Amino acid sequence: MNLFSSSISENNKPLAARMRPQSLSEFVGQSHLVGPGKMLRRMIEADQLASIILYGPPGTGKTTLAEIIAKSTNSRFLRLNAVTSGVKEVREVIAEAEEALSLYGQRTVLFIDEIHRFNKAQQDVLLGAVEDGVIILIGATTENPYFEVNSALLSRSRIFQLQPLSREELKEIAKRALESEKGLAQYRPKVTEEALDFLLQASGSDARVLLNALELAVLTTPPGQDGQRLVDLEVAQESIQKSALKYDKAGDNHYDVASAFIKSIRGSDPDAALYWLARMLVAGEDPKFIARRIIISASEDIGNANPQALPLAVAAFDAVDKVGMPEARIILGQVVAYLAASPKSNRAYLAINEAIADVKKDPSPQVPLHLRDASYRGAKEFGHGLGYKYPHDYPGAWVEQQYLPAELAGKTYYHPSENGSELKIKERLERLRQSSGKPT
């Protein structure tokens, strides 16, 4: 039984289906997975499959790889779609697989498209069959499996990540479709360089989108006197919708773009920071989420190199909350540009982390007696506050005095940088530390 079989005639299939590679030699892209000597290619060619999950953007070859496996394996190959299949269908497939294995010694490879749409109960049904080797699972997903697939199922599968197709790879796919007899060659298409460039860019690295647009452009263009069908830029633009922004607020795109945003601020690149900010805003990200990240960055990455960064970031959050979109983009843009252009220091951030680590390692050190609260009745009898020197009674409001517990005396956590305003802090602390004999 092969659920890839179809009664639809080849000529009636969409171009993307007709041009689907039938072997690894025809496959374009993903050389890091199916190039000569690579693990996935060796598994397919040797018909020695283990459970795998193919993870990557749409139109990068996940289903195509599954079909190539279907043609190259001696095992039974079954297919389910997570959108249309439930627990009942999964149990039926497992029962058939158990029967085939026990009666005929034949393995079953089960391909589940969009496996991220299976809920926990459906994934749990698969778990025992995968663990016992009754089923070899091939899952395909556009969502990060570490977010969407049960950890127990993940631990029994190998994850292969497919990358977006490059411009050259997309161009090769388009060229094959235009020149192949099973593609569009019979229509004698002539696509201008300008039109092809537009289709390659607008497809968003999705081969299926590219081929669908190419097919529509060619089929809707009447032949000229020479019999050729000329696809120019105008026709190409009419044949493809604006590519959707790839950004999932609940998945890894959300975290990847937010990470790029913060790292651009940290790296003092306002142009990149503003670009990633725009990506989030256009995708509909909650502006208050962005504002919260900005506040953290103002303290973690800028800190005392520019003490105005934090109050400005906090003010931005308040303003965004009051104003809302679309005007909030102006506020966010201003603050992001300011933070990215600011001098940077993470020394205060490192200092508190080191102090917390010391507290967790040994929380027992006591507060020195002279620092303890002496305001309540009987405190002085216990020696609380005795010997405390009030700094404002001394020149420069400073006097040598031990503030750390005895076990940590002389420990230095905060090492100011020489960036921005923190240089003045560094110079003052060095003077004070030299007066007290503490290493600078």
Side-chain angles (χ1 to χ4, degrees):
M1 176 181 175
N2 189 331
L3 298 185
F4 279 116
S5 61
S6 172
S7 60
I8 301 175
S9 68
E10 193 69 24
N11 291 335
N12 290 331
K13 290 181 179 180
L15 176 64
R18 300 199 307 273
M19 294 304 300
R20 193 183 295 279
Q22 302 300 304
S23 65
L24 288 175
S25 61
E26 297 178 6
F27 192 84
V28 177
Q30 315 308 330
S31 58
H32 64 294
L33 300 181
V34 294
K38 297 300 182 181
M39 175 61 70
L40 185 55
R41 186 187 191 103
R42 298 206 313 268
M43 291 170 67
I44 294 171
E45 290 178 339
D47 195 11
Q48 293 295 320
L49 289 171
S51 290
I52 62 174
I53 293 178
L54 303 172
Y55 158 50
T60 51
K62 298 183 295 297
T63 303
T64 296
L65 281 175
E67 292 202 12
I68 290 173
I69 291 171
K71 291 179 173 64
S72 61
T73 183
N74 292 318
S75 303
R76 300 170 66 251
F77 196 96
L78 306 180
R79 175 177 180 169
L80 291 177
N81 188 296
V83 176
T84 57
S85 304
V87 171
K88 177 176 177 290
E89 288 79 7
V90 174
R91 292 190 189 280
E92 289 174 352
V93 167
I94 292 174
E96 292 177 18
E98 288 174 338
E99 183 178 359
L101 187 62
S102 61
L103 295 181
Y104 310 108
Q106 189 176 30
R107 301 181 307 164
T108 297
V109 176
L110 174 62
F111 174 59
I112 301 181
D113 201 7
E114 300 189 78
I115 193 171
H116 60 275
R117 295 184 181 271
F118 263 4
N119 60 34
K120 185 177 185 302
Q122 290 167 312
Q123 292 184 30
D124 285 345
V125 171
L126 285 167
L127 188 58
V130 170
E131 187 170 17
D132 294 340
V134 173
I135 280 178
I136 296 171
L137 172 67
I138 301 177
T141 176
T142 57
E143 305 297 326
N144 191 325
Y146 291 103
F147 296 149
E148 306 294 341
V149 179
N150 290 357
S151 57
L153 204 55
L154 279 179
S155 67
R156 292 161 178 80
S157 307
R158 180 158 187 163
I159 297 173
F160 291 99
Q161 183 174 7
L162 283 75
Q163 301 296 334
L165 296 172
S166 70
R167 179 185 177 83
E168 289 307 311
E169 289 165 347
L170 288 170
K171 196 170 186 177
E172 174 63 23
I173 291 170
K175 181 182 177 183
R176 290 185 185 183
L178 292 169
E179 297 176 353
S180 171
E181 288 302 322
K182 66 178 180 180
L184 300 169
Q186 59 183 305
Y187 300 104
R188 299 185 62 196
K190 182 179 180 181
V191 181
T192 68
E193 202 65 37
E194 195 177 24
L196 183 58
D197 285 344
F198 172 80
L199 291 175
L200 294 175
Q201 184 274 329
S203 64
S205 301
D206 187 326
R208 190 182 298 107
V209 170
L210 172 65
L211 292 175
N212 288 343
L214 204 57
E215 182 176 35
L216 181 62
V218 171
L219 295 185
T220 57
T221 300
Q225 291 184 348
D226 59 357
Q228 288 190 326
R229 301 193 183 208
L230 178 63
V231 176
D232 58 18
L233 178 60
E234 184 179 354
V235 173
Q237 290 172 333
E238 292 175 346
S239 300
I240 191 168
Q241 293 181 341
K242 181 181 177 183
S243 57
L245 185 62
K246 292 185 172 83
Y247 186 89
D248 179 3
K249 289 189 283 183
D252 56 335
N253 287 123
H254 163 84
Y255 295 105
D256 287 346
V257 174
S259 175
F261 171 61
I262 293 301
K263 287 171 181 172
S264 299
I265 294 177
R266 183 181 299 143
S268 296
D269 189 334
D271 304 304
L274 288 166
Y275 171 78
W276 295 118
L277 170 64
R279 278 279 290 265
M280 290 189 285
L281 292 175
V282 171
E285 182 60 81
D286 180 359
K288 288 195 285 188
F289 164 80
I290 300 172
R292 284 191 292 270
R293 298 302 305 166
I294 288 172
I295 291 173
I296 296 167
S297 177
S299 184
E300 176 182 343
D301 296 316
I302 298 168
N304 290 329
N306 181 2
Q308 292 303 311
L310 181 56
L312 186 66
V314 173
F317 181 90
D318 187 44
V320 166
D321 189 37
K322 290 177 179 175
V323 172
M325 288 293 287
E327 288 80 5
R329 78 191 189 283
I330 305 169
I331 299 158
L332 292 170
Q334 175 194 345
V335 177
V336 165
Y338 180 82
L339 296 188
S342 288
K344 303 296 188 297
S345 173
N346 68 343
R347 299 302 178 85
Y349 164 69
L350 296 177
I352 184 58
N353 285 349
E354 186 179 354
I356 287 173
D358 277 354
V359 171
K360 289 181 176 178
K361 184 167 59 178
D362 182 8
S364 64
Q366 299 296 304
V367 177
L369 282 174
H370 64 285
L371 298 182
R372 296 187 189 184
D373 181 17
S375 62
Y376 65 91
R377 191 173 64 182
K380 290 186 177 180
E381 282 74 7
F382 292 115
H384 292 191
L386 294 179
Y388 171 65
K389 300 173 185 177
Y390 186 56
H392 295 287
D393 290 340
Y394 297 85
W398 181 85
V399 62
E400 166 61 17
Q401 187 168 216
Q402 182 177 319
Y403 293 97
L404 279 168
E407 295 88 337
L408 295 170
K411 178 73 181 267
T412 300
Y413 292 109
Y414 183 39
H415 301 273
S417 71
E418 297 183 356
N419 300 333
S421 299
E422 202 166 31
L423 175 59
K424 292 184 178 180
I425 298 173
K426 176 184 176 69
E427 291 171 347
R428 179 174 186 272
L429 283 180
E430 283 184 349
R431 288 195 303 269
L432 297 178
R433 286 169 177 169
Q434 285 171 356
S435 299
S436 64
K438 190 175 184 178
T440 59

